[in-house]
Amino acid sequence: IVYASWGRGVESDVAPNGPLDASATPPVQSYTNAGQALPAARRRQYEIGIKGHTAFGLRWNASYALVATGDHTLLNRGPVPSSIVEYARSTPANVLIGGLGYSRDKWETDVMARWQSSFLDFRLNQQRTALIPVELSNYVTVTARVGYRLTETLTLGLAAQQLLRSQLIETAGPPV
């Protein structure tokens, strides 16, 4: 089966646009336009994929998604970041997914990999007085699963995630 999909939407928000109060715990950015919505960010997403299976139990899938976001806000236009919102770069633009599985009698096994492109996040500087942009690198995740079908509607499974590295950085915040 080959499939394709697309979608588009508008994302809007009311975001803090006042000065950052770094003395607060946690630091707070205030609203000087309380209740005033920001200009919309327009988003388009396209996806294409293929999936299938054979009579002897092999199954596969592969897909690619592209997310294109236009940032029509006035946030972060100057030399110093003014908000943690930057629609155009805060979402990975490219995602690739691939999977392979096999079933025999009551046993089944699967492996799935997902790659996503880099994106932008924000964090406070060490003095906790200003926001700084942080580029988060692209990365790959791999998940494996084995399952045993107890009944037609119940399968007992064991999954292992993040097989390629011990730590995955998904945000600019401190590691936890």
Side-chain angles (χ1 to χ4, degrees):
I1 297 175
V2 175
Y3 64 91
S5 66
W6 70 277
R8 65 180 182 175
V10 175
E11 196 167 319
S12 186
D13 201 354
V14 176
N17 67 343
L20 183 69
D21 180 1
S23 63
T25 305
V28 178
Q29 192 173 12
S30 62
Y31 290 86
T32 60
N33 65 344
Q36 178 184 351
L38 296 172
R42 288 169 175 60
R43 178 172 295 189
R44 287 183 170 79
Q45 179 171 339
Y46 308 92
E47 182 176 355
I48 187 164
I50 185 169
K51 60 183 175 178
H53 61 87
T54 66
F56 58 88
L58 184 66
R59 61 190 171 280
W60 66 89
N61 68 291
S63 66
Y64 169 74
L66 169 70
V67 177
T69 305
D71 192 346
H72 303 287
T73 69
L74 300 176
L75 300 171
N76 297 322
R77 296 289 190 221
V80 177
S82 58
S83 174
I84 59 171
V85 176
E86 186 165 330
Y87 292 112
R89 295 186 53 216
S90 64
T91 301
N94 302 285
V95 177
L96 286 168
I97 297 174
L100 191 61
Y102 180 72
S103 297
R104 183 171 181 178
D105 301 324
K106 292 188 173 203
W107 289 96
E108 53 189 51
T109 185
D110 298 282
V111 64
M112 195 265 311
R114 181 183 189 276
W115 172 86
Q116 72 175 38
S117 60
S118 61
F119 62 98
L120 188 69
D121 199 1
F122 293 89
R123 68 173 169 81
L124 287 170
N125 63 6
Q126 286 187 332
Q127 297 79 23
R128 300 174 62 90
T129 57
L131 292 168
I132 56 174
V134 176
E135 186 80 18
L136 296 172
S137 299
N138 56 11
Y139 60 85
V140 175
T141 59
V142 176
T143 302
R145 183 187 72 89
V146 64
Y148 182 77
R149 191 177 58 235
L150 298 171
T151 69
E152 287 299 316
T153 58
L154 181 63
T155 300
L156 181 63
L158 178 65
Q161 298 179 336
Q162 196 47 38
L163 299 175
L164 296 181
R165 54 172 99 169
S166 61
Q167 183 181 36
L168 180 65
I169 299 174
E170 296 178 314
T171 179
V176 292

